[in-house]
Amino acid sequence: MFFFFIIIAILLALPGLIMLLLGLINKKPGLWITGSVITLIAIIIIIISIYSIVTKSVNYFNKHNTHYNKYYINDNNNRTYKYTDSLTEEKIASEIKEDKGTSGFIKGIDKKLTLIYVKTNKQIESKGVSIEKIEDYNQNTIKNNEIPLKLFFLDDFTGKIFLIAYDNRNIELASSIISCSAKKGDKKVIEFNFEKSIVLSDINHCVLYESEY
């Protein structure tokens, strides 16, 4: 829009300059005064338009530089650089610092191997239960749509353990509950089975709870 004003000002300035020159040459005050006024108005319009264009460009650059800045991440000594907007920087930093738990591969009814993370909540941790690992997938020993966890029991434990699976939006997809009894120092592989309708490749992470039921 400001460029349009500049073009109009230039078109206005041309006849103004002509009137100014003719008035001076022919010594006609009315003509050169009118030409001077028209030329001056045109120059003011051009100056204001250029100033507005420069100001708008600077503001846009500053805004762009604020919302899309360089975000440095150092994860396991691997340097990576990401460009993120300022609204997601805190979320990314939080995810990096967050303990995602134990990772491993699972295989669902869709025959896909999927990397997932499993962690315990504080309640079951207080009972001395921890996850040692997700058992490696073995076609001969592990069924499809099953998540086998090797658990370590720091104390005696008797109760029901509840595994809830979530997608990448943190929406619950499925759950499995197992009755378990273990002695202090035991290590046990607990197999959490899910219905065949559940697609395990949709799972992003799981959380292990102690069931109250």
Side-chain angles (χ1 to χ4, degrees):
M1 183 177 69
F2 295 111
F3 290 106
F4 176 77
F5 286 146
I6 291 175
I7 293 172
I8 295 296
I10 292 172
L11 295 176
L12 187 64
L14 289 175
L17 288 172
I18 293 172
M19 293 173 66
L20 175 61
L21 292 173
L22 290 175
L24 292 173
I25 293 170
N26 297 320
K27 296 181 179 181
K28 293 182 178 181
L31 191 60
W32 68 261
I33 290 174
T34 303
S36 298
V37 172
I38 294 174
T39 303
L40 182 61
I41 293 173
I43 292 173
I44 292 173
I45 293 174
I46 291 172
I47 292 173
I48 292 175
S49 298
I50 293 174
Y51 176 80
S52 299
I53 291 171
V54 172
T55 302
K56 190 173 182 180
S57 299
V58 171
N59 289 339
Y60 175 80
F61 177 81
N62 289 338
K63 182 178 179 181
H64 187 273
N65 190 52
T66 299
H67 285 270
Y68 295 88
N69 49 66
K70 205 169 192 180
Y71 190 85
Y72 171 77
I73 298 171
N74 190 334
D75 186 15
N76 296 328
N77 296 322
N78 294 320
R79 292 185 177 183
T80 57
Y81 295 88
K82 294 184 180 180
Y83 287 93
T84 63
D85 59 67
S86 58
L87 296 178
T88 59
E89 284 181 358
E90 185 176 347
K91 180 180 177 182
I92 290 175
S94 175
E95 288 177 351
I96 293 170
K97 293 178 181 178
E98 179 186 0
D99 180 12
K100 291 185 176 181
T102 304
S103 63
F105 286 93
I106 56 173
K107 187 172 184 179
I109 201 70
D110 57 357
K111 308 297 183 182
K112 294 180 181 178
L113 279 176
T114 302
L115 176 66
I116 64 163
Y117 294 88
V118 182
K119 56 185 177 181
T120 56
N121 79 332
K122 292 182 179 180
Q123 181 190 26
I124 199 167
E125 285 178 358
S126 67
K127 298 294 182 69
V129 180
S130 61
I131 302 170
E132 187 166 295
K133 69 172 184 173
I134 299 174
E135 282 292 319
D136 295 331
Y137 179 78
N138 185 311
Q139 190 173 4
N140 297 322
T141 60
I142 298 175
K143 302 173 185 177
N144 292 336
N145 271 40
E146 177 180 281
I147 299 180
L149 301 180
K150 188 172 184 180
L151 303 181
F152 174 70
F153 296 87
L154 188 61
D155 299 306
D156 292 347
F157 180 88
T158 300
K160 294 182 178 180
I161 301 177
F162 202 41
L163 185 67
I164 300 181
Y166 300 90
D167 65 10
N168 55 10
R169 295 172 297 172
N170 209 36
I171 297 175
E172 182 177 334
L173 292 176
S175 61
S176 178
I177 189 168
I178 298 290
S179 295
C180 177
S181 179
K183 297 293 185 181
K184 180 178 179 179
D186 281 354
K187 293 183 179 180
K188 286 191 173 185
V189 175
I190 309 297
E191 299 169 349
F192 294 90
N193 296 297
F194 294 89
E195 296 179 2
K196 301 300 182 184
S197 59
I198 303 301
V199 180
L200 293 195
S201 58
D202 290 338
I203 296 176
N204 176 266
H205 64 280
C206 298
V207 180
L208 200 67
Y209 300 88
E210 181 187 17
S211 175
E212 298 177 354
Y213 303 100

